[in-house]
Amino acid sequence: MARNLDEQQPTLQRLLAVLSAPALRRLLAYASAGTQDALEYRADFFVRTILGLTPFFVDALVWIAVFRSRPETHIGIYDLPRLLSYLVASQMTLQLVNSGRVDERIAQDIRDGVLSAYLLRPMGNLEYRLATAAGKKLAALPGVILPFVVIFVVFRGSLGMQLEAWRFGVFAVSLIIAAVLNFVVDYLIGLACFWVLEVSALFFVKNWITAFLAGSMMPVDLFPGWLGRLAAVLPFRYTVDFPVRVLVGIATPDEIIGGLLLQAAWLCAITVVVRFAWRAGLRRYEAVGG
Amino acid sequence: MTSISALGTVRRYARLYRAFVRNCLMREMEFNFNFLSLVIADLFGLGTTMLFFSIIYSKVETLAGWTRWETLFFLGTFYLVDAVNMMVFMHNVFRLPWYVRTGDLDLVLVKPVDAQFYVMTRYFHLGHVSQLIGSLILIAYSWMHLGVSLSLPRIILFVLLCFNGFLILGVSFFVMAEPSLWMVRSEGFMALDALFQFALRPDGIYGRVLRFIFTALVPMTVIASFPARLMFGKITWLEVAWSFAATAIIIAASRMLWRYGLRRYESASS
């Protein structure tokens, strides 16, 4: 069976196989199918993004009130303009790294037994899902970015951003790693469905934890001691907080190099865990399916 | 005569609602996984908001005139109203498009009961009881630090305003769902869900324009900020009066939209 062959190949060999031309074409085919799928709902994306801006406005109002309620001009390293630009950029990043609920899709496939159909595809499930999600994301990109560009332009007087060309470049790189990192974390949560029947609680908890620890509600370096230490040792801050610090001009070149390395390290580590969990889960899946 | 028959109607519907609740409690005991996930999700929602504000209050003494305990009391009030709405209305509101798609609305329409009442209240969700308990603890705990005197009229008015907030919340979401009677999809839910975030912050942070918008046009501050401010004695009679008036307007609107929707509703299949 195709799947068994797939499973028996060493990981390195499979990685190389993915990079070979026919495999790449297959990936691109799935990606473009994802794109077409998403283009039909582009209007939907736009509405979603605009509505997705409300958390930023609500939090911005809270922080404006905070700065008005105290005599000092700074909280930590932030004055109000810099804090606001952090919040805008983090909302944008949060939407850009969103995995398209891959966790729920996988969980549903496992629960409904539909997974068998995917096992026959000419590539691993993770690669297939990633390609589809990447294609969808590409189509959604203009709709997601545009409202934020409008905000950046309209409020440029109140936002304290030092826009430098090289920061955009590094941001793009760290954003891609962040998106894939977020994707594999979500994928891993979805795989939990091999063992637990009802995983929606897990999704909720994961969403709340990541949203907070990633820095989507406030900058991670404003967290009190214990929470700051927790955020520092977990991978979530590399999905939002780090790319944002790069973009809005907080991260120094030293921090950027270290951050990119840690991002990549987390990505590799979690991908390995995913592979491991996938194999273990599949054995269980077969046992149940008979 | 009318008052007697009105009382009879209320009694009949109360009995009916008791039957709904009993029926749902039995169902919920069977699926306790689902119950557990609701409990965990609610407690995390409450936890992160508390964490957010505790970090904020480590930087300031008062936030737009609201002390730490006032904000905690407000959060308790908000989560109380939200919990009751989640238990009573919310899961039903999400079901409306489903009633339409499957054609089950036909079955509802022939029942000897007001169809809107049935659709809005049929399924009771005990799962959010953990949020209810959490919010009551929060209210009690923050009230002890507030040091405001309690009087019976004030408590009664507080309960009434909370109940009013619960009605506004549930019925507004239902209004957003009502177009699904004649349209395949609507973005109304998402819109209200987004606006709803403005109810989750003490209304002091809004400037004059925003406060007007979120009080008069989209009554979000009425949901929890008003009942909370009543307890600190920082509310005007006009605001209290408007709270009830806004609810009456929204209920009337939902009623009109419901009738309009039913006229345009075409049964699925057959």
Side-chain angles (χ1 to χ4, degrees):
Chain A
M1 265 181 67
R3 182 186 52 73
N4 284 339
L5 268 178
D6 219 32
E7 284 306 303
Q8 280 155 15
Q9 276 177 352
T11 311
L12 182 65
Q13 224 172 313
R14 288 183 55 205
L15 265 176
L16 289 175
V18 166
L19 292 175
S20 74
L24 197 61
R25 266 209 306 279
R26 284 199 297 267
L27 268 179
L28 287 178
Y30 282 125
S32 86
T35 304
Q36 280 161 19
D37 205 25
L39 277 176
E40 290 174 24
Y41 293 101
R42 202 162 44 181
D44 201 43
F45 275 124
F46 197 70
V47 174
R48 258 170 223 270
T49 310
I50 295 204
L51 295 176
L53 290 175
T54 36
F56 161 70
F57 284 119
V58 179
D59 288 343
L61 290 169
V62 173
W63 284 108
I64 290 171
V66 169
F67 275 90
R68 281 202 185 133
S69 306
R70 44 184 276 141
E72 301 90 343
T73 54
H74 282 66
I75 297 178
I77 59 160
Y78 300 91
D79 55 5
L80 183 58
R82 182 175 251 189
L83 191 77
L84 292 181
S85 55
Y86 182 100
L87 290 178
V88 184
S90 77
Q91 281 305 317
M92 180 178 76
T93 307
L94 189 69
Q95 292 189 23
L96 286 174
V97 300
N98 176 316
S99 73
R101 298 192 162 182
V102 67
D103 44 5
E104 285 173 39
R105 278 158 205 255
I106 296 205
Q108 208 168 6
D109 287 349
I110 295 173
R111 210 169 31 224
D112 301 348
V114 192
L115 194 65
S116 315
Y118 287 106
L119 298 179
L120 296 172
R121 307 228 167 177
M123 65 174 65
N125 190 273
L126 179 65
E127 292 89 332
Y128 159 71
R129 293 279 181 188
L130 189 58
T132 316
K136 279 198 173 149
K137 185 111 296 177
L138 212 59
L141 215 52
V144 173
I145 292 180
L146 192 65
F148 289 100
V149 172
V150 172
I151 288 196
F152 279 129
V153 173
V154 172
F155 295 103
R156 68 185 175 285
S158 337
L159 297 175
M161 288 190 41
Q162 295 124 20
L163 292 180
E164 295 157 285
W166 68 272
R167 287 201 180 265
F168 279 104
V170 181
F171 172 71
V173 174
S174 70
L175 185 69
I176 291 169
I177 308 178
V180 182
L181 175 61
N182 192 45
F183 184 90
V184 291
V185 170
D186 279 1
Y187 191 92
L188 189 62
I189 302 273
L191 288 185
C193 208
F194 275 124
W195 292 272
V196 200
L197 205 61
E198 171 62 47
V199 282
S200 57
L202 213 55
F203 296 156
F204 275 124
V205 172
K206 184 244 148 203
N207 284 343
W208 279 109
I209 293 180
T210 51
F212 202 93
L213 292 181
S216 68
M217 288 173 92
M218 65 170 68
V220 172
D221 55 2
L222 292 185
F223 287 174
W226 63 273
L227 194 63
R229 281 193 291 279
L230 186 68
V233 297
L234 290 173
F236 305 115
R237 65 163 289 242
Y238 292 98
T239 60
V240 177
D241 179 62
F242 173 64
V244 168
R245 287 171 70 89
V246 172
L247 183 66
V248 302
I250 300 169
T252 59
D254 279 352
E255 187 195 331
I256 290 175
I257 294 167
L260 284 173
L261 287 175
L262 275 168
Q263 254 192 323
W266 271 117
L267 176 58
C268 292
I270 293 170
T271 310
V272 168
V273 178
V274 165
R275 293 269 180 229
F276 188 74
W278 171 258
R279 252 173 247 178
L282 220 48
R283 273 198 294 279
R284 220 182 127 85
Y285 180 70
E286 284 171 321
V288 174
Chain B
M1 182 225 132
T2 43
S3 68
I4 293 172
S5 76
L7 199 66
T9 311
V10 169
R11 218 178 271 153
R12 189 166 81 91
Y13 276 86
R15 218 169 53 229
L16 187 62
Y17 193 64
R18 261 210 307 281
F20 288 166
V21 171
R22 204 164 41 229
N23 168 266
C24 290
L25 289 186
M26 274 165 1
R27 284 158 46 103
E28 221 153 349
M29 292 304 142
E30 291 170 24
F31 299 104
N32 37 26
F33 260 132
N34 199 2
F35 183 85
L36 186 70
S37 56
L38 286 179
V39 170
I40 293 176
D42 282 351
L43 291 183
F44 260 83
L46 200 124
T48 24
T49 311
M50 299 266 295
L51 198 56
F52 178 78
F53 278 104
S54 81
I55 294 177
I56 296 271
Y57 277 100
S58 71
K59 318 283 180 201
V60 289
E61 283 295 313
T62 61
L63 177 67
W66 290 61
T67 66
R68 173 191 296 260
W69 301 113
E70 285 174 346
T71 296
L72 272 186
F73 188 87
F74 157 79
L75 288 176
T77 310
F78 174 86
Y79 279 108
L80 171 70
V81 172
D82 182 58
V84 178
N85 175 51
M86 291 302 282
M87 288 164 89
V88 176
F89 286 145
M90 214 47 198
H91 292 269
N92 293 292
V93 171
F94 287 134
R95 260 172 197 267
L96 181 61
W98 179 83
Y99 276 114
V100 174
R101 222 178 23 249
T102 56
D104 280 7
L105 189 60
D106 294 356
L107 295 177
V108 177
L109 291 174
V110 295
K111 285 188 206 302
V113 54
D114 183 85
Q116 188 181 354
F117 173 81
Y118 184 94
V119 170
M120 283 189 76
T121 59
R122 175 62 187 82
Y123 295 99
F124 174 81
H125 272 255
L126 184 67
H128 300 286
V129 73
S130 57
Q131 186 182 319
L132 186 77
I133 295 169
S135 66
L136 288 174
I137 293 173
L138 200 54
I139 286 178
Y141 178 69
S142 53
W143 174 78
M144 287 191 300
H145 289 84
L146 274 175
V148 289
S149 59
L150 278 188
S151 63
L152 192 62
R154 182 172 284 185
I155 294 177
I156 291 174
L157 198 52
F158 175 73
V159 172
L160 281 178
L161 276 180
C162 285
F163 185 75
N164 184 67
F166 147 73
L167 283 180
I168 279 215
L169 197 53
V171 178
S172 328
F173 271 103
F174 194 72
V175 167
M176 291 298 164
E178 280 176 323
S180 63
L181 283 171
W182 69 91
M183 287 191 324
V184 177
R185 47 190 301 204
S186 66
E187 247 88 50
F189 265 146
M190 272 196 298
L192 194 58
D193 212 33
L195 286 176
F196 183 45
Q197 315 236 9
F198 287 94
L200 223 179
R201 301 285 182 259
D203 65 357
I205 65 166
Y206 305 126
R208 198 174 295 164
V209 177
L210 278 180
R211 197 188 294 207
F212 177 77
I213 291 175
F214 290 122
T215 304
L217 304 182
V218 194
M220 288 293 142
T221 56
V222 172
I223 293 170
S225 285
F226 280 25
R229 283 204 276 117
L230 172 86
M231 285 308 256
F232 329 139
K234 294 180 183 170
I235 197 167
T236 63
W237 284 108
L238 182 67
E239 286 174 319
V240 175
W242 168 246
S243 299
F244 296 118
T247 308
I249 292 171
I250 287 177
I251 290 178
S254 88
R255 213 54 201 165
M256 274 160 61
L257 210 57
W258 178 255
R259 295 224 178 98
Y260 173 80
L262 282 188
R263 274 202 304 278
R264 293 196 51 180
Y265 163 72
E266 292 161 9
S267 177
S269 71
S270 66

